[in-house]
Each structure stands twice: as C-alpha cells, then as structure tokens.
Amino acid sequence: MMKQTPLNARHRALGARMVEFGGWDMPVQYAGIIAEHKATREGAGLFDISHMARFWVTGPDSERFIQLIDTFDISKTAIGQSDYGIMCYEDGGIVDDIFTYHLGPDEWMVVANAGNAEKDWAWLNQHTAGYDVVLTDRSQELAMIALQGPKAESLLAGLTDADVVNLAFHGITKATVDGATGYISRTGYTGEDGFELFLPASEIERIWDRLLEAGATPIGLGARDSLRFEPGLALYGHEIDRDINPYEAKLGWVVKLDKGPFIGSEALQDIKAHGAARTLIGLEMTGRGIARQGYPVVALDGSELGVVTTGMPSPSLGKNLAYALVKAGSVKVGAEVDVLIRDKPVRASVVKMPFYKARYKK
C-alpha cells in the first residue's frame, strides 16, 4: 500500500492527478505542468514535500558525525544556516544528496530524498559506532512544504512572526506560521527564491489552505521536476546515483577533501587526481524529438558517448533540452551529437549548463 502525506486529502479535493512516487501517493499535476511551472517562476508555487525524510542528529559528537557522512565541510555551517552536501559510499558512488540544517548547539536536521529514506536511515545508523549521537526520524511528526517563487517572500511574511524578508540564503529559523510552530528555511529546489516550512503534521492542512487563500498556486511533481531541471539541480536516479560520483555529476564543489577523512574521501581524492571518467553535459535538440532518460548519446559516426540523464521540453525557454552523462573530454560546447530516440538518430547541440540562471536572494 502506498504511503500518504498529511495533505493527501487536500490534493484529491483540488482535483490533482495522483501517481506513485518512491512508494508515496503524490500529486503529479493540478492545472497542468506548464501552468504550474510558470506560476512558480512568476508568482508563488506551493509544494507538498512531506514525502522527504527529516532526520535529527543530536548529541556532543553530532558535528563530528555529520562530517563523517557528508562531503561538505559543515564545521563552517553556523547555527541558523544550512548547506547542501552528498553522502558517498567508500568507492565515491552516491548514497544520496542531502541538506543539513544547523538548528542549535549539538542539534542538526538532515533532509534526504523520499525514495532513499529507508536506505539513508540505515546508512546513518550503520556509522554511529564511536560517536556520542542520537538519531531521531521526525518525518511523520513534522510535515514539510515549500513555497517558491518571486512572490513567496511577501506572501509568507503576512502569515508568520519570523522576519523572512531578512532571512539569509540557506538560513533557518524557529517560527510560528498562522499559529503553528516549527521552522522556516530559505531553501528550495526550483532555482527561485523561496522557503521550506517544517511544521506539525497535525496542523499542516490548515497552513496549506491559508497559503492557497493568500495567493499561492499548488504545484505537483511534474513541474517540480521541470523547475529543478532548468537550473541544473541534480535528481537522484538521474544525474546522481550509486554508480555516479560527485565529480562526474559536476558536484565537485560540495566535496571538501581538505576537511579531513570522511566516507569516500580516499576514492574521491583519487578520482579528482586522475580525472572523472565521465562528465555531465547539456544538450539542445535541433532535430525533432525529446531526449528522455536512458536514451543513448552517440557521436555523428555512431560511436557511443553516453546516456541521457534527464530530458524534457523547457517551459521557460521553449526548447527541448537534456542533460547527459558522457565520456570525459569526448565533446565540447558547440559540438553536434545524436540522441537515439527509439533507435533513430536525432541531432542535438552541446550547450552550456545550466539552462536557466537561478534567481536566489543572497
């Protein structure tokens, strides 16, 4: 049986088309993917992301423990701030990408992907030996919603006691939203300014309704994917995975090898020294067709280059675009390649990444 978020009944009441996603019954769209995408880019989109995992790490060794499992150097993450990072296997492959929030002295929250929640929880618990930490899964107790877009700040400001106008990029603060107490962070995965709200599951339906009444538009997983795709935000199972390392995924910037040993650091040091075998590139389809995940990418002579990780029509740019993982050094920006769509070669140009410049408030 599929899991349900505390907002499941709300999605159905709004007429959402529901799909299975990572074992969850989730809305893929309400009014339509393109309309929802544009509503977020131009206004304020409201997302139910309660299917994601929320793990608390507390205790005297909490920082030292996170330094072990995270590629990023969180010793520089002040209380009230958060940072993006990656959990790696010993060989440098990716367990998951995570956001780590520093809530207080010896108190951290780790947010991980829904489809990886059980695996990530087990991974964290496997590595606690020798660390004075307590791990608590608060995913059921706390709901999680995102309010994203250029109008998110003004809309949220009217419903909370927190100073969201002056909340720093990647900042997090305790807050009350329409009487519900939890946290607000200036984070998100759309390429727009926006916020994520961590509030009691028992009160989230009322908060959702208030945000919609204030002018937010409900957004499903379809537009969530297109919104993260355009600014080049990686998705597990696509640009990152068990057999893809951070350097191949163009995420070397979150690997801090100088912070000291962490899980995967030796392998990543070697990969950095010798160069990644593959690299992520951007493609614009010049022939007729849409590149989809798994489609082969080949040179014009038919020799194999790699595979598409994500591809779709870009609602913001009006072009058929894709990311592909190919042999390192095999192509440069401006080169032409073919994408095999149902075994038929369709021409594409290698273009600069990302496709859309993120508009964060920093």
Side-chain angles (χ1 to χ4, degrees), residues 103-308:
L103 302 179
D106 301 329
E107 183 181 11
W108 300 76
M109 173 175 62
V110 175
V111 172
N113 285 301
N116 290 333
E118 291 182 12
K119 176 186 74 173
D120 291 352
W121 180 243
W123 182 257
L124 292 173
N125 279 280
Q126 284 169 27
H127 294 96
T128 57
Y131 293 85
D132 187 358
V133 294
V134 175
L135 304 183
T136 309
D137 184 354
R138 298 186 66 185
S139 306
Q140 297 297 314
E141 168 194 347
L142 280 183
M144 184 177 176
I145 58 177
L147 185 66
Q148 302 280 303
K151 296 181 181 177
E153 180 183 273
S154 59
L155 194 155
L156 184 58
L159 293 173
T160 180
D161 63 343
D163 182 8
V164 293
V165 173
N166 292 305
L167 184 62
F169 180 59
H170 284 183
I172 184 165
T173 182
K174 287 184 177 178
T176 299
V177 182
D178 194 43
T181 301
Y183 295 91
I184 294 174
S185 65
R186 196 171 216 126
T187 49
Y189 222 59
T190 62
E192 300 296 334
D193 182 35
F195 305 88
E196 292 176 323
L197 286 64
F198 307 85
L199 298 165
S202 59
E203 300 186 70
I204 202 64
E205 285 186 320
R206 177 173 54 80
I207 304 303
W208 175 270
D209 292 345
R210 284 300 306 275
L211 289 166
L212 292 181
E213 289 165 11
T217 300
I219 312 295
L221 293 176
R224 180 168 165 80
D225 192 33
S226 61
L227 288 160
R228 71 91 197 165
F229 166 74
E230 292 178 339
L233 302 175
L235 180 63
Y236 198 88
H238 293 256
E239 290 71 42
I240 53 177
D241 213 330
R242 171 67 184 86
D243 65 348
I244 301 171
N245 66 66
Y247 292 109
E248 291 176 324
K250 294 270 177 84
L251 290 171
W253 62 275
V254 300
V255 178
K256 305 301 183 184
L257 294 170
D258 58 355
K259 74 170 184 172
F262 56 90
I263 300 171
S265 59
E266 286 189 21
L268 292 171
Q269 183 87 55
D270 190 61
I271 292 166
K272 185 180 181 182
H274 295 93
R278 300 173 294 179
T279 190
L280 202 65
I281 62 167
L283 296 175
E284 179 182 336
M285 301 303 295
T286 53
R288 292 177 61 86
I290 299 169
R292 300 292 188 187
Q293 183 184 20
Y295 287 5
V297 179
V298 300
L300 300 189
D301 64 4
S303 59
E304 184 181 329
L305 295 175
V307 65
V308 172

Side-chain angles (χ1 to χ4, degrees), residues 28-161:
V28 69
Q29 65 180 58
Y30 302 86
I33 292 173
I34 293 174
E36 292 166 32
H37 182 106
K38 291 184 175 178
T40 306
R41 290 272 183 254
E42 297 168 6
L46 183 61
F47 304 73
D48 177 11
I49 49 175
S50 295
H51 59 312
M52 298 186 75
R54 291 166 290 292
F55 304 138
W56 250 249
V57 182
T58 57
D61 290 340
S62 54
E63 180 178 308
R64 196 165 67 88
F65 174 73
I66 293 172
Q67 288 285 61
L68 172 74
I69 57 94
D70 191 351
T71 61
F72 198 76
D73 184 2
I74 55 94
S75 69
K76 298 179 172 64
T77 308
I79 292 174
Q81 281 294 119
S82 65
D83 279 298
Y84 177 73
I86 295 172
M87 295 193 297
C88 283
Y89 294 99
E90 289 288 1
D91 64 3
I94 296 173
V95 179
D96 205 0
D97 60 338
I98 56 175
F99 248 94
T100 306
Y101 300 78
H102 197 176
L103 302 179
D106 301 329
E107 183 181 11
W108 300 76
M109 173 175 62
V110 175
V111 172
N113 285 301
N116 290 333
E118 291 182 12
K119 176 186 74 173
D120 291 352
W121 180 243
W123 182 257
L124 292 173
N125 279 280
Q126 284 169 27
H127 294 96
T128 57
Y131 293 85
D132 187 358
V133 294
V134 175
L135 304 183
T136 309
D137 184 354
R138 298 186 66 185
S139 306
Q140 297 297 314
E141 168 194 347
L142 280 183
M144 184 177 176
I145 58 177
L147 185 66
Q148 302 280 303
K151 296 181 181 177
E153 180 183 273
S154 59
L155 194 155
L156 184 58
L159 293 173
T160 180
D161 63 343

